[in-house]
């Protein structure tokens, strides 16, 4: 992010516009709202859509829009202009233009770029009570920008922890101001102090964090925050060289994870990391810690939070030894934790980093995996066009690497996207292809996931009997695996069959059961619970306040605008400050 920028637009904090280094006025909240929407909306709006979103109560909404467009054009001219193509409006920016919110949402940031960002909220101080549709959109975008900004600062602090610990501490503290109850951020601060040799400061921060957790949550801080204080190089007790032992233990941990023997896999990975640390081998320790973090994430045991600090240290070690492919894998796994929790701003910041590292490493497999999850995140928050482009890139990368196993997973997301686009016949064929590939390559763990999409496509296309078979098979397999999301999504499909047949009581019972299963452990796919809850709210006509608030909380966290829109009819008007988080 160089200084020779002709146009700078700051949307984080109090908005500002500069041309050639000179502040240029853009008067009025509505012109700023208009510019922000044009810059950040996933799809260019039509004039009528803009008028209805921003001037629904005006006597002549289109006239009000024309006036605001004129103000924005005057502020941007001549560096940028508003264009209209196929009836949709967009801002055409010069190549060197800088828009802070777009930067933090669209790419991985280097530490100096993250440090240059403001820490206020999007359009800070602006409120739009007379434009509720825009106010709702702004509340969701504020959540996404804040999440992405927090994660950019955390990544910057992680990257600087060894080389510039003082700057790393400043960035981590800024991130904590955005999320003061973030376990991995507190652990990172403790780790930085330990790395500087200041154990007293590390102990003091851990104690302050514990007081904050007790005051705000009524529970002690997680023990993981103190993990860096307990880290020490312990002499190896192995009869062979520690590095040899560590390598063998990493292979053992990976094999046990593949076999579903998670407890023994965790034990082997922890011992591998300890042996590598004893040997002073950063490369092996990075791989061991990455394996440990992955096991904790994918074992469906509610241990995602524990993994994040482990992965942060693994990232530091991997970048220190120059293993960019491993660093990409770590960034992707970190993003996956946020993706599961429907924290898409944070997730996409990590996925962009994983993509950038994979491209630098020339690793098409890591690239394809990171692109797959980025596309899934874009889909969940309603950017269907962006998701389509990203998933096509993912498939191209996986095809180039002849990576057939993960390709079946990527293809399942394309099937899900086609359902969102109401291209049901195409969704069915893609789900069938993904299912055949998953079975052929032996990835049976994702079979129930794919079956639910094929079942949904069959139900939409009118084959209720076939849909029922698919959902029942998915439920049986998901139950056998003990995967709460697969159980919940398949029950949701069966509930829709009951609903369609007019058996609303049975459908409600099944959706309630699906929600209970999907939320029985904390680290499941929140998107799945959100769609189940939204269906349940609609079936109940919003009569259960608990279900409504739970659904709204997840939809707004994401954000998931499509679900938020479905829930809005059951919700009394709230200001953004009242929005659940």
């Amino acid at each position: 992010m160089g200084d020779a920028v002709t146009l700078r637009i700051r949307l984080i904090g109090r908005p500002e516009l500069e041309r050639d280094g000179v502040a240029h006025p853009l008067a009025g909240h509505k012109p700023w709202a208009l510019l922000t929407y044009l810059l950040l909306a996933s799809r260019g709006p039509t004039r009528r859509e803009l008028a209805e979103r921003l001037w629904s109560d005006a006597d002549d909404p289109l006239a009000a829009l024309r006036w605001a467009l004129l103000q924005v054009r005057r502020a941007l001219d001549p560096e940028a202009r508003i264009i209209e193509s196929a009836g949709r409006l967009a801002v055409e920016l010069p190549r060197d233009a800088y828009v802070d919110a777009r930067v933090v949402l669209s790419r991985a940031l280097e530490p100096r770029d993250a440090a240059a960002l403001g820490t206020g909220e999007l359009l800070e101080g602006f409120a739009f009570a007379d434009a509720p549709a825009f106010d709702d959109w702004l509340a969701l975008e504020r959540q996404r920008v804040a999440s992405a900004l927090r994660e950019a600062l955390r990544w910057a602090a992680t990257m600087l922890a060894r080389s510039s610990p003082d700057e790393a501490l400043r960035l981590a503290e800024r991130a904590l101001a955005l999320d003061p109850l973030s376990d991995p951020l507190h652990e990172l601060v403790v780790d930085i102090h330990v790395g500087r040799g200041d154990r007293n400061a590390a102990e003091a921060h851990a104690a302050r964090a514990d007081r904050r957790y007790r005051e705000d949550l009524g529970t002690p801080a997680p023990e993981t925050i103190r993990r860096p204080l307990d880290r020490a190089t312990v002499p190896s007790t192995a009869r062979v060289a520690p590095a040899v032992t560590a390598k063998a233990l990493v292979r053992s941990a990976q094999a046990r994870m593949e076999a579903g023997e998670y407890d023994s896999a965790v034990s082997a990975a922890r011992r591998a990391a300890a042996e590598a640390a004893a040997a002073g081998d950063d490369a092996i320790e990075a791989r061991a810690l990455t394996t440990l973090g992955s096991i904790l994430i994918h074992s469906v045991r509610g241990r995602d939070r524990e993994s994040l600090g482990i992965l942060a240290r693994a990232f530091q070690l991997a970048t220190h030894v120059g293993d960019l492919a491993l660093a990409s894998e770590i960034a992707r796994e970190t993003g996956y934790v946020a993706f599961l929790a429907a924290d898409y701003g944070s997730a996409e910041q990590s996925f962009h980093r994983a993509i950038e590292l994979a491209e630098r490493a020339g690793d098409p497999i890591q690239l394809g995996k990171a692109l797959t999850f980025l596309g899934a995140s874009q889909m969940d928050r309603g950017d269907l066009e962006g998701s389509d482009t990203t998933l096509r890139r993912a498939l191209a990368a996986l095809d180039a690497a002849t990576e057939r196993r993960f390709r079946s997973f990527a293809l399942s997301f394309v099937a899900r996207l086609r359902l969102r686009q109401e291209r049901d016949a195409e969704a069915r064929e893609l789900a069938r292809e993904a299912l055949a590939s998953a079975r052929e390559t032996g990835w049976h763990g994702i079979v129930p996931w794919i079956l639910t999409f094929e079942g949904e496509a069959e139900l939409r296309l009118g084959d209720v009997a076939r849909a029922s078979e698919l959902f029942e098979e998915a439920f049986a397999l998901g139950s056998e695996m003990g995967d709460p999301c697969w159980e919940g999504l398949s029950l949701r499909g069966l509930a829709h069959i009951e609903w369609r047949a007019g058996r609303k009581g049975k459908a409600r019972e099944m959706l309630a059961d699906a929600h209970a299963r999907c939320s029985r452990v904390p680290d499941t796919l929140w998107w799945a619970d959100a769609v189940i809850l939204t269906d349940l709210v609609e079936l109940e006509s919003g009569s259960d306040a608990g279900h409504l608030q739970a659904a709204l909380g997840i939809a707004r966290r994401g954000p998931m605008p499509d679900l938020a829109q479905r829930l809005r009819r059951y919700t009394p008007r709230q200001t953004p400050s009242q929005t659940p988080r």
Side-chain angles (χ1 to χ4, degrees):
M1 189 177 73
D3 293 329
V5 175
T6 58
L7 178 66
R8 288 180 183 270
I9 302 174
R10 297 185 180 91
L11 301 176
I12 300 173
R14 294 292 295 187
E16 296 177 354
L17 190 153
E18 291 181 3
R19 287 170 26 196
D20 293 321
V22 178
H24 204 78
L26 177 58
H29 284 199
K30 288 294 179 70
W32 272 112
L34 171 62
L35 178 58
T36 301
Y37 193 79
L38 290 175
L39 288 169
L40 299 186
S42 59
R43 188 183 187 202
T46 65
R47 287 175 178 265
R48 185 160 299 279
E49 287 169 350
L50 269 177
E52 290 175 353
R53 188 174 288 274
L54 279 163
W55 291 277
S56 57
D57 294 336
D59 292 336
D60 189 345
L62 288 173
L65 170 62
R66 286 192 294 272
W67 175 86
L69 281 171
L70 178 62
Q71 307 311 307
V72 174
R73 284 191 169 106
R74 286 174 174 172
L76 297 177
D77 186 68
E79 282 80 10
R81 62 196 185 102
I82 295 175
I83 59 173
E84 192 164 1
S85 176
R88 296 191 172 274
L89 296 165
V91 180
E92 188 176 74
L93 296 169
R95 293 183 64 181
D96 65 349
Y98 173 73
V99 181
D100 57 357
R102 282 178 63 155
V103 165
V104 78
L105 291 172
S106 65
R107 67 174 189 249
L109 300 184
E110 293 302 310
R112 66 188 182 94
D113 297 332
L117 291 165
T119 52
E121 69 176 5
L122 186 68
L123 292 186
E124 188 168 277
F126 284 31
F128 299 89
D130 63 337
F134 179 80
D135 211 29
D136 287 338
W137 175 85
L138 180 60
L140 298 179
E141 283 300 291
R142 280 173 169 164
Q143 168 66 23
R144 186 162 73 103
V145 169
S147 169
L149 177 57
R150 180 193 70 235
E151 191 65 3
L153 291 168
R154 190 189 71 81
W155 274 115
T158 301
M159 294 166 72
L160 293 175
R162 285 191 167 205
S163 61
S164 303
D166 291 343
E167 178 63 13
L169 278 174
R170 283 192 289 271
L171 293 169
E173 293 291 353
R174 282 180 61 191
L176 277 171
L178 295 170
D179 187 1
L181 298 174
S182 169
D183 306 352
L185 276 170
H186 284 295
E187 184 177 349
L188 177 60
V189 171
V190 172
D191 186 48
I192 294 169
H193 283 306
V194 169
R196 299 167 75 206
D198 193 342
R199 191 174 182 86
N200 289 337
E203 290 276 11
H205 183 87
R208 287 195 301 273
D210 186 64
R211 287 195 298 272
R212 181 66 183 264
Y213 276 71
R214 292 178 187 273
E215 291 170 1
D216 290 5
L217 300 179
T219 62
E223 284 298 316
T224 54
I225 288 174
R226 297 183 55 84
R227 185 162 42 198
L229 285 160
D230 300 329
R231 187 188 306 127
T233 301
V234 179
S236 174
T237 59
R239 294 179 179 273
V240 297
V244 175
T245 301
K247 288 180 180 178
L249 286 169
V250 168
R251 288 193 292 270
S252 174
Q254 291 170 337
R256 293 175 185 183
M257 179 173 65
E258 288 287 330
E261 300 170 4
Y262 295 120
D263 289 338
S264 60
V266 167
S267 176
R270 290 194 196 280
R271 287 160 48 214
E275 292 290 342
D281 193 318
D282 287 352
I284 301 176
E285 186 181 358
R287 170 46 68 189
L289 289 171
T290 303
T291 301
L292 174 58
S294 296
I295 297 166
L296 293 172
I297 292 167
H298 297 290
S299 60
V300 199
R301 294 173 186 266
R303 301 171 76 175
D304 286 5
R305 287 167 61 178
E306 181 183 352
S307 74
L308 292 175
I310 292 168
L311 290 174
R313 176 164 174 78
F315 185 85
Q316 293 173 16
L317 294 168
T319 53
H320 177 67
V321 300
D323 192 339
L324 298 182
L326 182 60
S328 174
E329 180 181 341
I330 296 164
R332 187 194 74 245
E333 290 283 50
T334 302
Y336 180 68
V337 173
F339 170 74
L340 288 178
D343 190 1
Y344 299 129
S346 174
E348 290 182 26
Q349 179 61 215
S350 293
F351 294 145
H352 285 303
R353 187 167 305 282
I355 290 165
E356 185 260 338
L357 287 164
E359 289 176 333
R360 285 170 55 192
D363 190 321
I365 294 178
Q366 293 298 338
L367 177 60
K369 290 180 176 181
L371 285 165
T372 295
F373 287 116
L374 175 61
S377 180
Q378 291 169 321
M379 186 194 325
D380 283 2
R381 61 174 178 78
D383 182 6
L384 303 188
E385 292 182 7
S387 176
D388 203 335
T389 299
T390 302
L391 289 173
R392 288 178 188 275
R393 286 183 61 199
L395 289 174
L398 294 168
D399 286 341
T402 63
E403 172 51 61
R404 295 179 59 241
R405 193 166 190 258
F406 195 87
R407 187 184 187 278
S408 61
F409 195 42
L411 204 60
S412 74
F413 282 106
V414 181
R416 182 177 144 201
L417 176 62
R418 296 295 177 260
L419 287 170
R420 288 287 303 273
Q421 295 169 323
E422 299 183 347
R423 294 158 60 177
D424 302 329
E426 188 177 348
R428 178 178 60 186
E429 296 311 309
L430 287 166
R432 288 175 176 175
E433 182 184 347
L435 187 61
S437 178
R439 283 172 165 155
E440 184 180 343
T441 57
W443 197 357
H444 301 295
I446 64 169
V447 166
W449 162 258
I450 303 171
L451 285 169
T452 61
F453 300 135
E454 186 181 350
E456 185 172 348
E458 292 285 14
L459 185 59
R460 290 188 187 185
L461 292 166
D463 193 339
V464 178
R466 177 59 180 157
S468 182
E469 290 175 8
L470 291 165
F471 290 136
E472 287 172 353
E473 182 182 357
F475 180 72
L477 292 172
S479 299
E480 179 67 23
M481 296 172 188
D483 191 301
C485 290
W486 299 173
E487 295 171 25
L489 286 172
S490 53
L491 275 176
R492 173 184 181 248
L494 291 169
H496 273 270
I497 292 174
E498 298 294 333
W499 195 348
R500 174 178 288 205
R503 296 185 286 270
K504 289 189 175 182
K506 183 66 173 177
R508 184 193 180 285
E509 179 184 321
M510 296 180 85
L511 285 171
D513 187 13
H515 164 56
R517 290 170 185 267
C518 210
S519 56
R520 71 171 179 252
V521 295
D523 301 329
T524 53
L525 183 60
W526 287 30
W527 167 82
D529 198 24
V531 295
I532 290 165
L533 279 166
T534 302
D535 288 349
L536 190 53
V537 168
E538 290 182 333
L539 183 59
E540 297 168 334
S541 299
S543 62
D544 188 311
H547 290 156
L548 176 58
Q549 289 305 311
L552 281 168
I554 305 175
R556 287 169 172 163
R557 172 183 172 83
M560 303 176 196
D562 61 321
L563 300 186
Q565 178 65 35
R566 288 170 58 189
L567 295 164
R568 193 164 293 134
R569 74 183 72 173
Y570 308 108
T571 315
R573 178 68 192 147
Q574 295 178 314
T575 64
S577 63
Q578 295 172 305
T579 301
R581 296 189 64 177

